[in-house]
Amino acid sequence: MALSRVVRYQEHTAVNASHSMAISKPARTFQDLLVWQKAHGFVLGMYAFTATLPKQETYGLSLQMRRAAVSIPANIAEGFRRRGQADKARFMNIAEGSVEECRYFLILSQDLGYGDTQKLSAVLEEVSRLLGAYTAAILASDS
């Protein structure tokens, strides 16, 4: 099955509260989107990670990491409700930019010796892959 079809299926498939069983219903809210669910999970992980950073990073790196992470699911949510495909894609593109910002912050944190970022990086890679496919599906449905 083509990736854009998979993403359209995800967009139009609600997922139950346990996230383990797909129910064939159109996505009614952004919370029904798999890409949003994964991005939200990333934010929760980022908050847990930044809580362990040194105190001197409270208003520096920690704040920047949280802001960038929150931007991903927030822009997915806002884009979901937009009517035009170009407008939806614009918000997904902003979310993709925030993914890249988070990617850098995780590299920096690792290099500064602030902790192991491998698990967060793996989750971010999954979010990036899903978001890229979701954006491509939005753009493909516009043509």
Side-chain angles (χ1 to χ4, degrees), residues 19 34-48 69 73 119-120 123-124 127:
H19 304 293
L34 180 61
V35 65
W36 179 88
Q37 293 167 10
K38 296 291 185 175
H40 179 67
F42 174 74
V43 171
L44 297 177
M46 184 68 88
Y47 266 72
K119 288 181 183 176
L120 271 176
V123 174
L124 186 61
V127 169

Side-chain angles (χ1 to χ4, degrees), residues 4-48:
S4 64
R5 281 193 222 133
V6 170
V7 173
R8 276 184 275 221
Y9 173 77
Q10 290 173 347
E11 180 178 11
H12 298 293
T13 302
V15 178
N16 70 7
S18 70
H19 304 293
S20 63
M21 185 174 112
I23 302 168
S24 190
K25 288 183 183 177
R28 293 184 3 198
T29 72
F30 63 85
Q31 292 170 302
D32 295 332
L33 299 175
L34 180 61
V35 65
W36 179 88
Q37 293 167 10
K38 296 291 185 175
H40 179 67
F42 174 74
V43 171
L44 297 177
M46 184 68 88
Y47 266 72

Side-chain angles (χ1 to χ4, degrees), residues 94-136:
I94 293 167
E96 288 173 320
S98 294
V99 164
E100 294 306 313
E101 194 174 357
C102 287
R103 186 173 282 130
Y104 169 68
F105 290 144
L106 291 173
I107 292 168
L108 179 60
S109 295
Q110 184 79 39
D111 289 350
L112 290 171
Y114 288 162
D116 186 8
T117 61
Q118 284 183 328
K119 288 181 183 176
L120 271 176
S121 293
V123 174
L124 186 61
E125 289 307 313
E126 183 178 17
V127 169
S128 180
R129 182 181 51 78
L130 289 169
L131 187 56
Y134 183 58
T135 304

